[in-house]
């Protein structure tokens, strides 16, 4: 069997060994009554790492586990892993939740590498974490959280199995509390030290058992029955202490029961706080608490039915302030693309300064040896006597996460830039959601003329309405944008950051060209005639350059438009649409108090009459247009498939498909789906 050294810097958590995942079956809280050698706070016995093969492919043998056990003593415990490699040496003091002591290597059965156990001392300042651990173990769900080691070491790749066999552990940076461990890190039992017991004479401990590790189990459904342990020949002082211990144990059981039932309840928070105030710091029976919760629910239901309480929104209790590792990494990607971050929830997030750093942080491949998706094996690493060195990290993000995280931030940037692009065409068109790419039909109903006079004792006369329909079919527009492995290796962040903006401009400009094309190209519409005609049938095409007089003629032409019954409908234009060449002329015509060029300084009746819109998509230097308000009459309709007005960005990141396999290329696809048609000519007028 040959082995070749390779490096992968990934972060690990704690849940797999050998060939099968390790399942921690212990779900009991153990109350240990012993000396308190580490002061105030809380302690929990944990399995830091299981031997064998982790979910991320690293193999920990007996030698590696012994090294980890030796390095673990007094190691810091943090909440979640660091956000980037640069943060390893400058972790915030607010992230520290405790430290490890009494670490030891536990040998496994014959042929098995065993595991590393330690005691995690949790600071009183991290009481939120203690509450989380306590409740998870009480409910029999310790797997909801786990431990993840952050190591610096060396390994070799076994070509026969593909496993990365640990050859040396140089540094243990931290062992952190995370949500999805990968190497077997788990909470086993909770330890409560009681310093007062150290004063008892040897052999008179009320619950003494072998090795001084006395236990009394609390199952996931705690009851409030007293402890009936037999006590014989105990001095008076010891009896008093035992009574106090029993009372304290019952009080703790009550607190656990109270918090568990409140977290499961759908009561609003103010009501929960009221119930908590009644039951905290006292002993009670479970039936008493259940009766109180039931009464509170009945009261809230009655108040809701009577209309006295509305919108209180029963919500499940959740643990606030907990931010996952994936959220932190996504925030760093967002900051890299200059997107706004929720600093109130996430804190001060440092954006990645390079695409190399982002890629290495997510995949752990700090040298980019593994290719974009881990399918190629290019490049070699500097060697140590034990093999290549790098970060061994067991975090809850994977290699496949890189393209998703990058794509998510790029999509946000695309939407931000797209929405910032001027879209004044929306003022004079109607926007509609459509379900599919089938032909869309917009029926134009006819109109009644004047109501007929009905003579005495005569029947009413029936009349019918004619109609016509404007139709269109939505089309799909888009492009593929590849990001090569070379771009990541060359650390070309500037080029990659430009992609969303370029796509946003292209999508916005393409849509604007589509809309203004209805005006500039004078297409045939639903009646088979061009949109703009001189005289019949549309009477909406002038022949003069833009001026105050020409504008007045256009207004008059729109006022004279008639309905199906030949009645004038008195439309008023709301917008003046011009190319860039006529921008200043439109300003003079619509904003001058006097008629421009008038010898007698006549009053300009077009002052503020219409709102100018300048469109760079109009290429004729002489054409100008009037448009009515689409809320008063139909003009142009633009329909978006699925109601998706914004363009969307998609990712092709399967390592065995397409360019990702053949050329080490991540492919991003920009897609925009829409169509449109002129639905009524009467709300539009062209000057030349």
């Amino acid at each position: 069997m040959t082995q070749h050294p390779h490096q992968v810097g990934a972060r690990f958590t704690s849940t797999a060994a050998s060939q099968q995942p390790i399942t921690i079956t212990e779900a009991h809280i153990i109350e240990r009554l012993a000396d308190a050698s580490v002061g105030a706070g809380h302690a929990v016995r944990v399995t830091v790492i299981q031997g064998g093969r982790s979910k991320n492919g690293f193999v920990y043998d007996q030698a590696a586990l012994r090294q980890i056990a030796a390095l673990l003593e007094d190691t810091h415990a943090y909440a979640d892993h660091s956000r980037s490699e640069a943060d390893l040496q400058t972790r915030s003091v607010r992230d520290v939740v405790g430290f490890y002591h009494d670490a030891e290597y536990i040998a496994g059965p014959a042929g098995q590498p065993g595991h590393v156990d330690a005691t995690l001392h949790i600071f009183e300042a991290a009481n939120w974490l203690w509450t989380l651990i306590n409740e998870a173990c009480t409910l029999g769900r310790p797997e909801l959280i786990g431990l993840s080691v952050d190591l610096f070491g060396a390994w070799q790749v076994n070509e026969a199995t593909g496993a990365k066999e640990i050859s040396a552990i140089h540094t243990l940076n931290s062992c952190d509390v995370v949500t999805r461990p990968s190497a077997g890190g788990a909470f086993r039992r909770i330890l409560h030290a009681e310093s007062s017991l150290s004063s008892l004479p040897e052999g008179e401990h009320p619950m003494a058992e072998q090795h001084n590790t006395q236990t009394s189990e609390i199952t996931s459904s705690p009851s409030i029955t007293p402890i009936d342990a037999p006590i014989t020949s105990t001095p008076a002082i010891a009896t008093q202490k035992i009574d106090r211990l029993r009372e304290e144990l019952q009080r703790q059981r009550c607190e656990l029961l109270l918090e568990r039932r409140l977290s499961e309840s759908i009561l609003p928070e103010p009501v929960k706080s009221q119930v908590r105030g009644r039951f905290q710091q006292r002993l009670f029976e479970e039936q008493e608490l259940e009766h109180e919760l039931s009464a509170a629910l009945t009261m809230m239901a009655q108040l809701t039915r009577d209309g006295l309480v509305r919108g209180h929104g029963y919500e499940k209790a959740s643990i606030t302030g907990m931010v996952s590792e994936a959220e932190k990494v996504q925030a760093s990607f967002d900051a890299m693309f200059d997107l706004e971050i929720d600093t109130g929830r996430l804190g001060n997030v440092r954006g990645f300064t390079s695409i190399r750093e982002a890629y290495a942080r997510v995949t752990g491949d700090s040298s980019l040896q593994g290719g974009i998706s881990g399918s190629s094996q290019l490049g070699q690493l500097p060697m140590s006597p034990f093999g290549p060195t790098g970060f061994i990290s067991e975090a809850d993000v994977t290699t496949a996460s890189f393209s998703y995280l990058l794509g998510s931030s790029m999509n946000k940037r695309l939407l931000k830039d797209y929405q910032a692009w001027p879209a004044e065409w929306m003022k004079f068109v109607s926007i509609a959601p459509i379900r599919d790419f089938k032909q869309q039909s917009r029926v134009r109903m006819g109109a009644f003329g004047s109501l007929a006079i009905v003579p005495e004792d005569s029947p009413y006369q029936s009349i019918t309405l004619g109609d016509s329909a404007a139709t269109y079919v939505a089309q799909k527009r888009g492009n593929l944008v590849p990001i090569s492995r070379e771009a990541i290796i060359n650390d070309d962040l500037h080029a990659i950051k430009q992609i969303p903006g370029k796509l946003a401009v292209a999508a916005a400009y393409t849509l604007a060209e589509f809309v203004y094309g209805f005006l500039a190209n004078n297409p045939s519409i639903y009646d088979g005639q061009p949109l703009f005609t001189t005289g019949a049938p549309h009477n909406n095409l002038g022949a003069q350059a833009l001026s105050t007089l020409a504008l007045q003629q256009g207004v008059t032409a729109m006022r004279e438009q008639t309905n199906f019954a030949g009645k004038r409908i008195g439309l008023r234009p709301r917008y003046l649409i011009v190319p860039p060449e006529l921008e200043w002329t439109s300003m003079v015509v619509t904003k001058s108090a006097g008629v421009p060029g008038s010898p007698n300084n006549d009053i300009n009746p077009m002052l503020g009459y219409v709102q100018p819109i300048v469109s760079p998509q109009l290429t004729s230097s002489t054409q100008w247009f009037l448009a009515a308000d689409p809320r008063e009459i139909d003009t142009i309709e633009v329909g978006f498939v699925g109601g998706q007005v914004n363009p969307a960005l998609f990712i092709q990141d399967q390592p065995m498909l397409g360019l990702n396999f053949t050329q080490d290329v991540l492919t991003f696809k920009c897609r925009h789906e829409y169509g449109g048609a002129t639905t009524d000519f009467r709300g539009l007028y062209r000057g030349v």
Side-chain angles (χ1 to χ4, degrees), residues 20 87 205 218 225 241 386 462 481 489 534 596 617 640 655:
Q20 299 295 330
D87 292 340
H205 196 290
I218 300 176
T225 56
K241 291 184 178 181
F386 302 97
S462 298
V481 181
I489 291 179
T534 302
Q617 286 77 25
F640 293 89

Side-chain angles (χ1 to χ4, degrees), residues 260-322:
R260 179 173 67 84
R261 292 297 293 118
L262 288 178
S263 68
E264 294 171 351
S265 174
I266 61 173
L267 288 170
E269 282 301 325
V271 181
K272 290 183 180 180
S273 298
Q274 187 178 31
V275 174
R276 184 180 287 107
R278 293 177 182 175
F279 286 87
Q280 267 186 335
Q281 301 301 320
R282 73 178 182 87
L283 299 178
F284 57 86
E285 296 293 335
E286 185 173 4
Q287 293 82 355
E288 181 184 358
L289 175 61
E290 294 299 332
H291 176 75
E292 182 72 19
L293 293 174
S294 178
L297 280 172
T298 302
M299 180 190 66
M300 293 300 300
Q302 185 62 46
L303 291 174
T304 303
R305 283 195 297 269
D306 295 343
L308 300 177
V309 177
R310 295 182 294 275
H312 49 74
Y314 293 155
E315 296 178 357
K316 292 284 186 181
S318 61
I319 301 172
T320 59
M322 296 290 290

